[in-house]
Amino acid sequence: MLPRPVRRTLALAVTPVLAASALAAPAAAASTSSADLALEWFDVTAGTVAAAGAPTQVTNNRTWAIGWLAATRAVLRTPSTPRPEDYRGAAFAGAIHQTLITLAPARKAELDAALATSLARLADGPSESDGLAAGRQQAATVLADRADDGLDPASVNTPFTSSPAGAGVWQPTPPSYSPATQSGNRLARPFLLRRADQFRPGPPPAVGSERYRRDLAEVKADGSAGSTTRTPEQTATATFWLGSSYTLYTEPLRVALAATTGRSLAERAKLVALFHVAAVDTQIATSDTKYAYVSWRPVTALRAAGHAEWRPLHTTPAHPDYPSGHNTYSGSAEQVLTTLVGARTAKPYTIGSPTAPGVTRTYSTWRQLTTENVDARVWSGIHTRTADTAGVTLGRQVAAHAVREAYRLFR
């Protein structure tokens, strides 16, 4: 073992679920050690996924969900031991480390170094060694349980045969006319949903209906590449929210985690675990809805209506319009963070975007992110507003279900 020159105390309190309260001052019973460890392994997980993650977003959410679920279970099941804080610290780090070296073996050297850093804060002895073993065992158990769950990249992007062209029916979109992606998500095994269509919304507005015409007119005017009605600020918003939802929401989740430093290590691990469990289940539900209705994208609808040269501001993703996946993700994220951390942050927070390098935006609630996401997909010209708002509702419903049913994961 490495020498242990630095000793810190981990939080002793372990509660079943995070309280639904606003970000508050640290509780007296908790210490900064759990905050350090949680943020340390948050950054390790994010760095590992960035360097060696899967090409499919949901697969990366799965990696987080498995690692942090295993860590939560290991910490919650702390036995009677002379040094419970050391047991919990080793169990937490060991669970995430074992998950990541299994799912991202190319990063083993970096992950081993991170584990050594965490263990160096703990005292040598049976509490540490038993905790480490318990964390590794929990990771192995969750990994085994999630084997063949259909969330690997090949299964996620299983081939999908487009329906014959017709009014309202999705078809490959310009400029590349690529085959549909992410259709396999709907066949994957959720963490907590009973079935993929559990919260499936009703169908999109009928072609030719008043709402359909209103939606399409808005995208035609405000979402076109050459729009004269979209403002520079609206264009900037569309560009800021263009990238992967997983990437865009990693920073807000870290903000939430950092703001819960007064809570126990188990509570904070649950926050991250449930965020990603809900994200996985939301993407399964999203795919189910998209491929149940196979609704065409605005560019296809507008060109079919006679606007042959119409182009969106941003390239249309290769899957159906209804509902918006960005907005199911944002609805899910908002619901988890609001329920488990509180609607408002104690102070404003600032985040960046990979699609707007050097640009930052500042917020004080989680709902502000959702609101901008709804507008952004319209202003990008790639979704109707109805697809966006239906997506938010679906994401919130799936996430609320995940929080309600969390006991099934942690019992």
Side-chain angles (χ1 to χ4, degrees):
M1 288 288 184
L2 293 172
R4 304 302 199 253
V6 179
R7 298 185 181 184
R8 299 180 183 176
T9 304
L10 294 179
L12 299 178
V14 178
T15 56
V17 292
L18 289 169
S21 59
L23 303 187
S31 75
T32 58
S33 181
S34 64
D36 292 344
L37 192 62
L39 288 175
E40 182 176 272
W41 281 93
F42 186 98
D43 293 340
V44 168
T45 309
T48 300
V49 171
T56 42
Q57 175 174 276
V58 72
T59 311
N60 293 324
N61 289 119
R62 173 187 184 269
T63 295
W64 281 84
I66 290 173
W68 287 71
L69 170 56
T72 307
R73 287 180 177 178
V75 173
L76 282 172
R77 297 173 187 182
T78 301
S80 177
T81 181
R83 300 186 63 87
E85 68 276 13
D86 290 337
Y87 181 98
R88 283 191 280 268
F92 177 87
I96 300 176
H97 171 267
Q98 187 65 38
T99 299
L100 294 178
I101 63 171
T102 302
L103 299 178
R107 299 288 292 177
K108 187 175 186 303
E110 293 83 356
L111 292 165
D112 286 351
L115 180 62
T117 297
S118 295
L119 295 180
R121 300 193 183 99
L122 311 178
D124 287 332
S127 293
E128 180 203 51
S129 58
D130 290 352
L132 183 60
R136 287 171 170 166
Q137 181 56 53
Q138 285 295 337
T141 298
V142 181
L143 283 163
D145 178 65
R146 296 303 302 181
D148 301 318
D149 59 7
L151 292 168
D152 58 284
S155 297
V156 168
N157 283 324
T158 188
F160 176 79
T161 302
S162 301
S163 302
V169 179
W170 183 85
Q171 296 296 313
T173 52
S176 62
Y177 296 93
S178 300
T181 61
Q182 302 176 19
S183 68
N185 277 355
R186 72 195 194 281
L187 306 175
R189 177 161 56 92
F191 278 87
L192 287 170
L193 284 177
R194 306 290 181 178
R195 60 185 191 277
D197 66 350
Q198 185 172 346
F199 295 102
R200 184 192 291 173
V207 174
S209 66
E210 181 181 351
R211 188 171 183 182
Y212 173 88
R213 293 195 302 271
R214 185 171 66 247
D215 276 347
L216 209 58
E218 181 184 23
V219 180
K220 177 177 177 289
D222 298 340
S224 72
S227 173
T228 58
T229 58
R230 187 181 60 247
T231 69
E233 173 58 23
Q234 290 171 338
T235 300
T237 299
T239 301
F240 188 89
W241 289 103
L242 182 61
S244 153
S245 291
Y246 162 78
T247 303
L248 286 161
Y249 272 91
T250 296
E251 279 193 73
L253 178 56
R254 192 185 192 282
V255 168
L257 183 64
T260 59
T261 56
R263 300 181 182 181
S264 72
L265 184 59
E267 288 180 307
R268 303 180 77 226
K270 282 181 180 179
L271 169 63
V272 178
L274 283 175
F275 182 97
H276 287 283
V277 162
V280 168
D281 281 9
T282 292
Q283 288 169 86
I284 291 171
T286 300
S287 177
D288 165 77
T289 304
K290 279 182 177 288
Y291 288 96
Y293 298 122
V294 287
S295 179
W296 62 6
R297 288 279 185 162
V299 63
T300 308
L302 286 165
R303 291 187 176 192
H307 308 285
E309 302 303 316
W310 189 90
R311 292 185 300 111
L313 172 64
H314 294 126
T315 301
T316 302
H319 41 78
D321 177 61
Y322 181 88
S324 160
H326 263 57
N327 282 288
T328 60
Y329 200 108
S330 65
S332 174
E334 178 199 326
Q335 186 70 33
V336 171
L337 296 179
T338 298
T339 304
L340 302 186
V341 181
R344 302 187 66 86
T345 54
K347 60 182 180 180
Y349 62 96
T350 298
I351 62 173
S353 165
T355 51
V359 175
T360 60
R361 290 187 167 221
T362 300
Y363 307 93
S364 58
T365 72
W366 313 117
R367 180 156 295 193
Q368 289 169 302
L369 310 181
T370 304
T371 300
E372 286 195 5
N373 245 313
V374 169
D375 289 334
R377 305 310 268 178
V378 174
W379 297 334
S380 282
I382 57 183
H383 273 301
T384 61
R385 186 166 295 275
T386 294
D388 292 342
T389 56
V392 170
T393 298
L394 177 59
R396 288 174 178 161
Q397 290 174 328
V398 174
H401 174 79
V403 174
R404 285 194 306 270
E405 298 289 311
Y407 70 92
R408 292 165 47 200
L409 296 176
F410 303 120
R411 61 189 172 189

